[in-house]
Short mmCIF file of all heavy atoms in Angstrom, two decimals:
data_model
loop_
_atom_site.label_atom_id
_atom_site.label_comp_id
_atom_site.label_asym_id
_atom_site.label_seq_id
_atom_site.Cartn_x
_atom_site.Cartn_y
_atom_site.Cartn_z
N MET A 1 7.95 4.14 31.58
CA MET A 1 8.86 5.22 31.26
C MET A 1 9.56 5.64 32.54
O MET A 1 8.94 5.78 33.58
CB MET A 1 8.06 6.37 30.66
CG MET A 1 8.88 7.51 30.21
SD MET A 1 7.84 8.66 29.30
CE MET A 1 9.00 9.21 28.12
N PHE A 2 10.85 5.85 32.43
CA PHE A 2 11.62 6.24 33.60
C PHE A 2 11.95 7.72 33.54
O PHE A 2 12.39 8.22 32.51
CB PHE A 2 12.91 5.43 33.69
CG PHE A 2 12.65 3.97 33.91
CD1 PHE A 2 12.72 3.07 32.88
CD2 PHE A 2 12.31 3.51 35.16
CE1 PHE A 2 12.46 1.73 33.07
CE2 PHE A 2 12.05 2.17 35.38
CZ PHE A 2 12.12 1.28 34.33
N TYR A 3 11.71 8.39 34.65
CA TYR A 3 12.01 9.82 34.74
C TYR A 3 13.17 10.01 35.70
O TYR A 3 13.29 9.31 36.69
CB TYR A 3 10.79 10.58 35.27
CG TYR A 3 9.61 10.54 34.35
CD1 TYR A 3 8.54 9.70 34.60
CD2 TYR A 3 9.57 11.34 33.22
CE1 TYR A 3 7.45 9.66 33.75
CE2 TYR A 3 8.48 11.31 32.37
CZ TYR A 3 7.43 10.47 32.64
OH TYR A 3 6.37 10.44 31.80
N ARG A 4 13.97 11.00 35.41
CA ARG A 4 15.05 11.34 36.32
C ARG A 4 14.46 12.11 37.49
O ARG A 4 13.72 13.08 37.30
CB ARG A 4 16.08 12.19 35.59
CG ARG A 4 17.24 12.51 36.45
CD ARG A 4 18.33 13.16 35.67
NE ARG A 4 19.39 13.49 36.60
CZ ARG A 4 20.45 14.15 36.27
NH1 ARG A 4 20.61 14.57 35.05
NH2 ARG A 4 21.36 14.41 37.17
N LYS A 5 14.78 11.70 38.69
CA LYS A 5 14.23 12.33 39.88
C LYS A 5 14.69 13.79 39.96
O LYS A 5 15.84 14.10 39.70
CB LYS A 5 14.66 11.58 41.13
CG LYS A 5 14.07 10.18 41.18
CD LYS A 5 14.35 9.53 42.49
CE LYS A 5 13.90 8.13 42.63
NZ LYS A 5 12.88 7.62 41.84
N ASN A 6 13.76 14.67 40.31
CA ASN A 6 14.11 16.07 40.47
C ASN A 6 13.65 16.63 41.82
O ASN A 6 13.59 17.84 42.00
CB ASN A 6 13.56 16.91 39.30
CG ASN A 6 12.05 16.87 39.19
OD1 ASN A 6 11.38 16.25 40.00
ND2 ASN A 6 11.52 17.52 38.19
N LEU A 7 13.34 15.74 42.76
CA LEU A 7 12.95 16.16 44.10
C LEU A 7 13.89 15.55 45.13
O LEU A 7 14.11 14.34 45.11
CB LEU A 7 11.52 15.72 44.42
CG LEU A 7 10.40 16.30 43.57
CD1 LEU A 7 9.09 15.65 43.94
CD2 LEU A 7 10.33 17.79 43.71
N PRO A 8 14.43 16.36 46.03
CA PRO A 8 15.28 15.78 47.09
C PRO A 8 14.44 14.99 48.09
O PRO A 8 13.21 15.13 48.16
CB PRO A 8 15.92 17.01 47.74
CG PRO A 8 15.04 18.16 47.40
CD PRO A 8 14.36 17.82 46.10
N GLY A 9 15.10 14.17 48.88
CA GLY A 9 14.41 13.29 49.82
C GLY A 9 13.55 14.02 50.83
O GLY A 9 12.44 13.59 51.14
N TRP A 10 14.05 15.14 51.35
CA TRP A 10 13.26 15.88 52.36
C TRP A 10 11.97 16.43 51.74
O TRP A 10 10.93 16.44 52.37
CB TRP A 10 14.08 17.00 53.00
CG TRP A 10 14.49 18.09 52.04
CD1 TRP A 10 15.64 18.16 51.32
CD2 TRP A 10 13.73 19.25 51.71
NE1 TRP A 10 15.64 19.29 50.54
CE2 TRP A 10 14.49 19.98 50.77
CE3 TRP A 10 12.49 19.75 52.11
CZ2 TRP A 10 14.04 21.18 50.22
CZ3 TRP A 10 12.05 20.94 51.56
CH2 TRP A 10 12.83 21.65 50.63
N GLU A 11 12.03 16.86 50.48
CA GLU A 11 10.83 17.41 49.85
C GLU A 11 9.84 16.30 49.50
O GLU A 11 8.63 16.49 49.57
CB GLU A 11 11.20 18.18 48.58
CG GLU A 11 10.02 18.91 47.98
CD GLU A 11 10.40 19.83 46.85
OE1 GLU A 11 11.59 20.16 46.69
OE2 GLU A 11 9.48 20.21 46.11
N ARG A 12 10.35 15.12 49.17
CA ARG A 12 9.47 13.99 48.90
C ARG A 12 8.69 13.62 50.16
O ARG A 12 7.49 13.33 50.09
CB ARG A 12 10.29 12.81 48.42
CG ARG A 12 10.92 13.05 47.06
CD ARG A 12 11.84 11.95 46.66
NE ARG A 12 11.06 10.74 46.37
CZ ARG A 12 11.59 9.60 46.01
NH1 ARG A 12 12.90 9.47 45.90
NH2 ARG A 12 10.82 8.56 45.75
N ALA A 13 9.35 13.64 51.31
CA ALA A 13 8.68 13.33 52.58
C ALA A 13 7.62 14.39 52.90
O ALA A 13 6.50 14.05 53.32
CB ALA A 13 9.70 13.24 53.71
N ILE A 14 7.95 15.65 52.70
CA ILE A 14 6.99 16.73 52.96
C ILE A 14 5.77 16.61 52.05
O ILE A 14 4.64 16.82 52.49
CB ILE A 14 7.67 18.11 52.78
CG1 ILE A 14 8.80 18.30 53.78
CG2 ILE A 14 6.67 19.25 52.85
CD1 ILE A 14 8.35 18.46 55.21
N ARG A 15 6.00 16.27 50.79
CA ARG A 15 4.87 16.11 49.87
C ARG A 15 3.97 14.95 50.29
O ARG A 15 2.74 15.03 50.16
CB ARG A 15 5.37 15.88 48.45
CG ARG A 15 5.87 17.14 47.79
CD ARG A 15 6.42 16.85 46.40
NE ARG A 15 6.99 18.02 45.81
CZ ARG A 15 6.53 18.62 44.71
NH1 ARG A 15 5.48 18.11 44.10
NH2 ARG A 15 7.10 19.69 44.24
N GLY A 16 4.56 13.87 50.78
CA GLY A 16 3.76 12.74 51.25
C GLY A 16 2.91 13.10 52.46
O GLY A 16 1.71 12.82 52.50
N ILE A 17 3.53 13.76 53.43
CA ILE A 17 2.79 14.17 54.63
C ILE A 17 1.73 15.20 54.29
O ILE A 17 0.58 15.11 54.74
CB ILE A 17 3.78 14.72 55.69
CG1 ILE A 17 4.69 13.60 56.18
CG2 ILE A 17 3.04 15.37 56.85
CD1 ILE A 17 5.88 14.08 56.98
N GLY A 18 2.10 16.19 53.47
CA GLY A 18 1.13 17.21 53.07
C GLY A 18 -0.03 16.63 52.27
O GLY A 18 -1.18 17.05 52.43
N GLY A 19 0.27 15.66 51.41
CA GLY A 19 -0.79 15.02 50.63
C GLY A 19 -1.78 14.28 51.50
O GLY A 19 -3.00 14.34 51.28
N ILE A 20 -1.27 13.57 52.50
CA ILE A 20 -2.16 12.87 53.44
C ILE A 20 -3.05 13.86 54.18
O ILE A 20 -4.25 13.64 54.35
CB ILE A 20 -1.35 12.00 54.41
CG1 ILE A 20 -0.71 10.83 53.65
CG2 ILE A 20 -2.21 11.49 55.56
CD1 ILE A 20 0.32 10.07 54.44
N MET A 21 -2.45 14.96 54.60
CA MET A 21 -3.23 15.98 55.32
C MET A 21 -4.29 16.61 54.41
O MET A 21 -5.41 16.89 54.85
CB MET A 21 -2.29 17.05 55.88
CG MET A 21 -1.40 16.54 57.00
SD MET A 21 -0.13 17.67 57.54
CE MET A 21 -1.03 19.13 57.95
N MET A 22 -3.94 16.85 53.13
CA MET A 22 -4.91 17.43 52.20
C MET A 22 -6.07 16.48 51.94
O MET A 22 -7.23 16.92 51.88
CB MET A 22 -4.21 17.79 50.89
CG MET A 22 -3.28 18.97 51.00
SD MET A 22 -2.25 19.20 49.55
CE MET A 22 -3.45 19.67 48.35
N ILE A 23 -5.79 15.20 51.79
CA ILE A 23 -6.86 14.23 51.58
C ILE A 23 -7.77 14.17 52.81
O ILE A 23 -9.00 14.18 52.68
CB ILE A 23 -6.28 12.85 51.25
CG1 ILE A 23 -5.64 12.86 49.86
CG2 ILE A 23 -7.36 11.77 51.32
CD1 ILE A 23 -4.88 11.61 49.51
N ALA A 24 -7.17 14.13 53.98
CA ALA A 24 -7.98 14.07 55.21
C ALA A 24 -8.85 15.32 55.35
O ALA A 24 -10.04 15.22 55.68
CB ALA A 24 -7.06 13.92 56.42
N TYR A 25 -8.28 16.49 55.10
CA TYR A 25 -9.06 17.73 55.22
C TYR A 25 -10.18 17.77 54.18
O TYR A 25 -11.32 18.11 54.50
CB TYR A 25 -8.16 18.95 55.05
CG TYR A 25 -8.91 20.24 55.18
CD1 TYR A 25 -9.27 20.73 56.43
CD2 TYR A 25 -9.30 20.96 54.06
CE1 TYR A 25 -9.98 21.91 56.55
CE2 TYR A 25 -10.01 22.13 54.16
CZ TYR A 25 -10.35 22.61 55.42
OH TYR A 25 -11.07 23.76 55.54
N GLY A 26 -9.86 17.42 52.94
CA GLY A 26 -10.87 17.48 51.90
C GLY A 26 -12.04 16.54 52.14
O GLY A 26 -13.18 16.88 51.85
N LEU A 27 -11.76 15.36 52.68
CA LEU A 27 -12.84 14.39 52.86
C LEU A 27 -13.55 14.49 54.21
O LEU A 27 -14.71 14.11 54.33
CB LEU A 27 -12.28 12.97 52.68
CG LEU A 27 -11.76 12.65 51.28
CD1 LEU A 27 -11.21 11.24 51.24
CD2 LEU A 27 -12.81 12.87 50.22
N MET A 28 -12.86 15.03 55.23
CA MET A 28 -13.48 15.12 56.55
C MET A 28 -14.07 16.49 56.85
O MET A 28 -15.14 16.58 57.45
CB MET A 28 -12.47 14.75 57.64
CG MET A 28 -12.09 13.30 57.62
SD MET A 28 -10.96 12.96 58.98
CE MET A 28 -10.47 11.32 58.60
N ALA A 29 -13.40 17.55 56.45
CA ALA A 29 -13.88 18.89 56.78
C ALA A 29 -14.91 19.38 55.76
O ALA A 29 -15.72 20.24 56.08
CB ALA A 29 -12.72 19.87 56.85
N MET A 30 -14.84 18.87 54.54
CA MET A 30 -15.76 19.30 53.49
C MET A 30 -16.39 18.09 52.81
O MET A 30 -16.26 17.91 51.60
CB MET A 30 -15.01 20.13 52.44
CG MET A 30 -14.27 21.31 52.97
SD MET A 30 -13.32 22.05 51.64
CE MET A 30 -13.64 23.75 51.94
N PRO A 31 -17.09 17.24 53.55
CA PRO A 31 -17.61 16.01 52.95
C PRO A 31 -18.70 16.29 51.91
O PRO A 31 -19.58 17.12 52.12
CB PRO A 31 -18.18 15.24 54.14
CG PRO A 31 -18.50 16.28 55.16
CD PRO A 31 -17.49 17.38 54.96
N GLY A 32 -18.58 15.61 50.78
CA GLY A 32 -19.62 15.69 49.76
C GLY A 32 -19.61 16.94 48.91
O GLY A 32 -20.52 17.11 48.10
N THR A 33 -18.63 17.82 49.07
CA THR A 33 -18.60 19.03 48.26
C THR A 33 -17.55 18.89 47.16
O THR A 33 -16.60 18.13 47.28
CB THR A 33 -18.26 20.27 49.11
OG1 THR A 33 -16.94 20.13 49.64
CG2 THR A 33 -19.25 20.45 50.25
N MET A 34 -17.74 19.65 46.10
CA MET A 34 -16.79 19.61 45.00
C MET A 34 -15.43 20.14 45.44
O MET A 34 -14.39 19.62 45.03
CB MET A 34 -17.32 20.44 43.82
CG MET A 34 -16.46 20.33 42.60
SD MET A 34 -16.30 18.65 41.98
CE MET A 34 -17.80 18.47 41.10
N ALA A 35 -15.42 21.15 46.30
CA ALA A 35 -14.15 21.69 46.79
C ALA A 35 -13.40 20.65 47.62
O ALA A 35 -12.17 20.53 47.53
CB ALA A 35 -14.39 22.94 47.63
N GLY A 36 -14.12 19.89 48.42
CA GLY A 36 -13.50 18.84 49.21
C GLY A 36 -12.85 17.77 48.34
O GLY A 36 -11.74 17.32 48.61
N TYR A 37 -13.56 17.39 47.26
CA TYR A 37 -12.99 16.40 46.34
C TYR A 37 -11.80 16.97 45.58
O TYR A 37 -10.84 16.25 45.29
CB TYR A 37 -14.05 15.91 45.36
CG TYR A 37 -15.15 15.10 46.02
CD1 TYR A 37 -16.48 15.34 45.74
CD2 TYR A 37 -14.84 14.09 46.94
CE1 TYR A 37 -17.48 14.60 46.34
CE2 TYR A 37 -15.83 13.35 47.54
CZ TYR A 37 -17.15 13.60 47.24
OH TYR A 37 -18.14 12.87 47.83
N ALA A 38 -11.83 18.25 45.26
CA ALA A 38 -10.70 18.87 44.56
C ALA A 38 -9.47 18.92 45.46
O ALA A 38 -8.35 18.65 45.00
CB ALA A 38 -11.08 20.28 44.10
N ILE A 39 -9.66 19.24 46.72
CA ILE A 39 -8.54 19.27 47.67
C ILE A 39 -7.99 17.86 47.86
O ILE A 39 -6.77 17.66 47.89
CB ILE A 39 -8.99 19.89 49.01
CG1 ILE A 39 -9.27 21.37 48.82
CG2 ILE A 39 -7.92 19.68 50.09
CD1 ILE A 39 -9.92 22.03 50.02
N ALA A 40 -8.86 16.87 47.96
CA ALA A 40 -8.41 15.49 48.10
C ALA A 40 -7.66 15.03 46.85
O ALA A 40 -6.65 14.32 46.93
CB ALA A 40 -9.59 14.58 48.38
N GLY A 41 -8.11 15.43 45.68
CA GLY A 41 -7.42 15.09 44.44
C GLY A 41 -6.05 15.72 44.36
O GLY A 41 -5.08 15.09 43.91
N ALA A 42 -5.94 16.97 44.80
CA ALA A 42 -4.63 17.63 44.83
C ALA A 42 -3.70 16.93 45.81
O ALA A 42 -2.49 16.82 45.56
CB ALA A 42 -4.80 19.10 45.20
N GLY A 43 -4.25 16.44 46.90
CA GLY A 43 -3.45 15.68 47.86
C GLY A 43 -2.94 14.38 47.26
O GLY A 43 -1.81 13.97 47.50
N ALA A 44 -3.77 13.73 46.45
CA ALA A 44 -3.35 12.49 45.79
C ALA A 44 -2.22 12.75 44.80
O ALA A 44 -1.27 11.97 44.70
CB ALA A 44 -4.53 11.84 45.08
N VAL A 45 -2.29 13.87 44.09
CA VAL A 45 -1.22 14.24 43.17
C VAL A 45 0.06 14.53 43.94
O VAL A 45 1.16 14.13 43.52
CB VAL A 45 -1.64 15.44 42.29
CG1 VAL A 45 -0.47 15.98 41.49
CG2 VAL A 45 -2.78 15.04 41.37
N ALA A 46 -0.05 15.21 45.07
CA ALA A 46 1.14 15.50 45.89
C ALA A 46 1.79 14.21 46.38
O ALA A 46 3.02 14.08 46.36
CB ALA A 46 0.75 16.39 47.08
N ILE A 47 0.99 13.25 46.80
CA ILE A 47 1.53 11.96 47.23
C ILE A 47 2.21 11.25 46.07
O ILE A 47 3.30 10.69 46.22
CB ILE A 47 0.43 11.08 47.85
CG1 ILE A 47 -0.01 11.66 49.19
CG2 ILE A 47 0.90 9.64 48.02
CD1 ILE A 47 -1.20 10.96 49.81
N ALA A 48 1.59 11.28 44.90
CA ALA A 48 2.17 10.60 43.73
C ALA A 48 3.52 11.21 43.34
O ALA A 48 4.47 10.49 43.06
CB ALA A 48 1.20 10.66 42.55
N THR A 49 3.60 12.55 43.32
CA THR A 49 4.88 13.18 42.96
C THR A 49 5.94 12.90 44.02
O THR A 49 7.11 12.72 43.68
CB THR A 49 4.73 14.69 42.74
OG1 THR A 49 4.24 15.30 43.94
CG2 THR A 49 3.81 14.98 41.57
N GLY A 50 5.54 12.85 45.27
CA GLY A 50 6.50 12.53 46.32
C GLY A 50 6.97 11.09 46.23
O GLY A 50 8.15 10.80 46.43
N PHE A 51 6.07 10.18 45.92
CA PHE A 51 6.43 8.76 45.81
C PHE A 51 7.36 8.51 44.62
O PHE A 51 8.33 7.78 44.72
CB PHE A 51 5.16 7.91 45.69
CG PHE A 51 5.43 6.45 45.52
CD1 PHE A 51 5.88 5.69 46.59
CD2 PHE A 51 5.25 5.83 44.30
CE1 PHE A 51 6.13 4.34 46.44
CE2 PHE A 51 5.50 4.50 44.13
CZ PHE A 51 5.94 3.74 45.20
N LEU A 52 7.05 9.14 43.50
CA LEU A 52 7.85 8.94 42.29
C LEU A 52 9.15 9.75 42.32
O LEU A 52 10.11 9.38 41.64
CB LEU A 52 7.05 9.33 41.06
CG LEU A 52 5.82 8.47 40.77
CD1 LEU A 52 5.04 9.04 39.60
CD2 LEU A 52 6.22 7.04 40.50
N GLY A 53 9.16 10.85 43.06
CA GLY A 53 10.36 11.69 43.10
C GLY A 53 10.50 12.59 41.89
O GLY A 53 11.54 13.18 41.65
N PHE A 54 9.45 12.69 41.09
CA PHE A 54 9.47 13.49 39.88
C PHE A 54 8.29 14.43 39.87
O PHE A 54 7.14 14.01 40.05
CB PHE A 54 9.42 12.60 38.64
CG PHE A 54 9.38 13.36 37.35
CD1 PHE A 54 10.52 13.93 36.85
CD2 PHE A 54 8.20 13.51 36.66
CE1 PHE A 54 10.49 14.64 35.67
CE2 PHE A 54 8.15 14.22 35.48
CZ PHE A 54 9.30 14.79 34.98
N CYS A 55 8.55 15.70 39.67
CA CYS A 55 7.50 16.71 39.59
C CYS A 55 7.53 17.30 38.18
O CYS A 55 8.53 17.91 37.78
CB CYS A 55 7.73 17.79 40.63
SG CYS A 55 6.55 19.15 40.52
N PRO A 56 6.46 17.14 37.40
CA PRO A 56 6.45 17.68 36.04
C PRO A 56 6.61 19.19 35.98
O PRO A 56 7.27 19.71 35.09
CB PRO A 56 5.09 17.26 35.49
CG PRO A 56 4.63 16.15 36.35
CD PRO A 56 5.25 16.37 37.68
N MET A 57 6.01 19.90 36.91
CA MET A 57 6.13 21.36 36.91
C MET A 57 7.56 21.81 37.20
O MET A 57 8.05 22.77 36.61
CB MET A 57 5.17 21.99 37.93
CG MET A 57 3.73 21.83 37.58
SD MET A 57 3.37 22.65 36.04
CE MET A 57 2.27 21.48 35.32
N CYS A 58 8.22 21.10 38.11
CA CYS A 58 9.63 21.42 38.40
C CYS A 58 10.49 21.13 37.18
O CYS A 58 11.44 21.87 36.89
CB CYS A 58 10.13 20.61 39.60
SG CYS A 58 9.32 21.02 41.14
N ALA A 59 10.18 20.08 36.44
CA ALA A 59 10.94 19.74 35.23
C ALA A 59 10.74 20.79 34.15
O ALA A 59 11.66 21.08 33.39
CB ALA A 59 10.52 18.37 34.73
N MET A 60 9.54 21.37 34.09
CA MET A 60 9.27 22.39 33.06
C MET A 60 10.14 23.62 33.24
O MET A 60 10.50 24.26 32.25
CB MET A 60 7.79 22.78 33.08
CG MET A 60 6.89 21.74 32.47
SD MET A 60 5.14 22.16 32.56
CE MET A 60 5.07 23.72 31.75
N VAL A 61 10.45 23.96 34.48
CA VAL A 61 11.27 25.14 34.72
C VAL A 61 12.75 24.80 34.83
O VAL A 61 13.56 25.66 35.12
CB VAL A 61 10.80 25.92 35.98
CG1 VAL A 61 9.40 26.45 35.78
CG2 VAL A 61 10.90 25.08 37.22
N GLY A 62 13.10 23.52 34.61
CA GLY A 62 14.50 23.12 34.56
C GLY A 62 15.13 22.74 35.88
O GLY A 62 16.35 22.70 35.99
N ARG A 63 14.34 22.41 36.86
CA ARG A 63 14.88 22.01 38.16
C ARG A 63 15.44 20.61 38.08
O ARG A 63 14.79 19.68 37.60
CB ARG A 63 13.79 22.07 39.22
CG ARG A 63 14.28 21.72 40.59
CD ARG A 63 13.17 21.86 41.59
NE ARG A 63 13.64 21.54 42.90
CZ ARG A 63 12.86 21.34 43.93
NH1 ARG A 63 11.55 21.46 43.80
NH2 ARG A 63 13.35 21.03 45.10
N ARG A 64 16.68 20.43 38.54
CA ARG A 64 17.34 19.11 38.55
C ARG A 64 18.07 18.92 39.85
O ARG A 64 18.52 19.88 40.47
CB ARG A 64 18.32 19.03 37.39
CG ARG A 64 17.68 19.07 36.06
CD ARG A 64 18.69 18.76 34.97
NE ARG A 64 18.03 18.75 33.69
CZ ARG A 64 18.28 19.63 32.74
NH1 ARG A 64 19.19 20.55 32.91
NH2 ARG A 64 17.62 19.56 31.61
N LEU A 65 18.23 17.65 40.23
CA LEU A 65 19.07 17.32 41.36
C LEU A 65 20.52 17.27 40.92
O LEU A 65 20.79 16.92 39.76
CB LEU A 65 18.67 15.95 41.94
CG LEU A 65 17.36 15.88 42.71
CD1 LEU A 65 17.09 14.44 43.12
CD2 LEU A 65 17.41 16.76 43.93
N PRO A 66 21.45 17.61 41.79
CA PRO A 66 22.86 17.48 41.40
C PRO A 66 23.22 16.01 41.15
O PRO A 66 22.73 15.13 41.83
CB PRO A 66 23.63 18.03 42.60
CG PRO A 66 22.64 18.39 43.63
CD PRO A 66 21.27 18.14 43.10
N SER A 67 24.05 15.76 40.16
CA SER A 67 24.47 14.41 39.85
C SER A 67 25.41 13.89 40.92
O SER A 67 26.26 14.63 41.41
CB SER A 67 25.18 14.37 38.50
OG SER A 67 24.29 14.73 37.48
N PRO A 68 25.27 12.59 41.29
CA PRO A 68 26.16 12.05 42.34
C PRO A 68 27.56 11.83 41.85
O PRO A 68 27.88 11.75 40.75
CB PRO A 68 25.49 10.73 42.71
CG PRO A 68 24.58 10.39 41.60
CD PRO A 68 24.28 11.65 40.87
#
């Protein structure tokens, strides 16, 4: 299924960097805890939305990129 991108390039990069940092913090600063795994999981979701360029929550509120 193809989704129309609703994230600009700069925000996609920030989500990727932030997701990597969240995974590192969750697995290194809180090893073996449920909170650490939850933070790492949220980081994985941030990376996925940045990679795909589509955020479901942004789409729910009607956020769109301007058409070229």
